[in-house]
Amino acid sequence: MFKQVFLVKLLILGCTFMAQAQLAEDIREAAQMYAQANLNEDYELLLDFTYPSVIEHAGGRDAYKKTLIQLNEIQKSRGMKLNEFIIKEPMEHVKAGNEYHAIVPYKMISQVKGGKLSSENTLIAVIAEGKDKWYFIETTSLTEKNLVKVLPTWDHTLTLPLKKAPIYQEDK
């Protein structure tokens, strides 16, 4: 009897671990596509991966796309070019209401006049229960206080990592 209970618990634990691993892999895969869209300046794909509330707060899809294009043009006019967008392992995830939220760290490396600028930040990955599409929220300009404006289901179970200053490395 003890052996059967132990095996059932082990099976449940194994299934839970596999589900957690699959969730992390799904997040990472979607985040990689988001990163590639950034590198390729594929604004339509970026919009497809952007959490709908963010787009809504920006005035709609066309307005947000225009903003993305303008920001990119400003960076280019200042001699900046995004070279790398490196997705790191999702840190943790939780269920909040009918959604799952995950913190996904990333590193961006841009070529700038005279060197490279490296910055680290996080994305919040969001998926509704029963859905198969991950959305992302850039946390660059968000704080724990204003995050609920774009992500109403944010329950503060996860903590946004502290912001890090960009690092400039001069060309040699």
Side-chain angles (χ1 to χ4, degrees):
M1 174 73 169
F2 174 76
K3 203 179 221 182
Q4 290 173 333
V5 170
F6 177 74
L7 288 175
V8 168
K9 286 184 179 181
L10 189 61
L11 180 63
I12 291 170
L13 184 63
C15 289
T16 302
F17 178 74
M18 287 174 39
Q20 297 287 331
Q22 184 60 51
L23 187 63
E25 182 57 34
D26 291 346
I27 294 167
R28 187 165 174 71
E29 185 178 307
Q32 290 288 6
M33 291 191 301
Y34 181 85
Q36 197 60 45
N38 270 285
L39 287 167
N40 295 337
E41 300 174 18
D42 186 340
Y43 303 110
E44 290 301 323
L45 190 55
L46 277 173
L47 288 166
D48 290 345
F49 275 109
T50 301
Y51 190 66
S53 177
V54 172
I55 294 171
E56 183 181 307
H57 277 83
R61 191 173 173 97
D62 290 338
Y64 193 58
K65 181 178 179 180
K66 184 177 178 180
T67 300
L68 291 173
I69 292 169
Q70 287 174 341
L71 287 172
N72 193 27
E73 287 174 357
I74 289 169
Q75 288 178 336
K76 284 180 180 178
S77 72
R78 294 180 178 163
M80 294 180 72
K81 180 179 181 342
L82 180 61
N83 287 347
E84 296 180 62
F85 195 115
I86 304 159
I87 298 295
K88 299 181 181 181
E89 289 299 318
M91 292 171 56
E92 51 187 320
H93 61 274
V94 296
K95 186 171 183 197
N98 70 334
E99 295 178 332
Y100 288 92
H101 300 165
I103 302 290
V104 182
Y106 69 89
K107 181 177 185 177
M108 288 177 29
I109 301 172
S110 297
Q111 186 68 44
V112 295
K113 291 179 182 175
K116 291 184 180 167
L117 191 63
S118 173
S119 59
E120 294 186 34
N121 209 332
T122 55
L123 300 168
I124 298 174
V126 182
I127 192 169
E129 193 170 30
K131 302 291 183 181
D132 61 354
K133 178 162 177 107
W134 285 96
Y135 293 102
F136 296 97
I137 300 170
E138 291 272 356
T139 64
T140 307
S141 60
L142 294 176
T143 65
E144 292 283 346
K145 291 180 182 178
N146 67 7
L147 178 56
V148 293
K149 291 178 182 176
V150 293
L151 185 58
T153 55
W154 183 257
D155 64 3
H156 300 281
T157 303
L158 297 174
T159 302
L160 293 178
L162 294 174
K163 308 247 188 270
K164 297 179 182 178
I167 298 170
Y168 174 75
Q169 185 177 17
E170 191 174 1
D171 285 339
K172 295 179 181 182

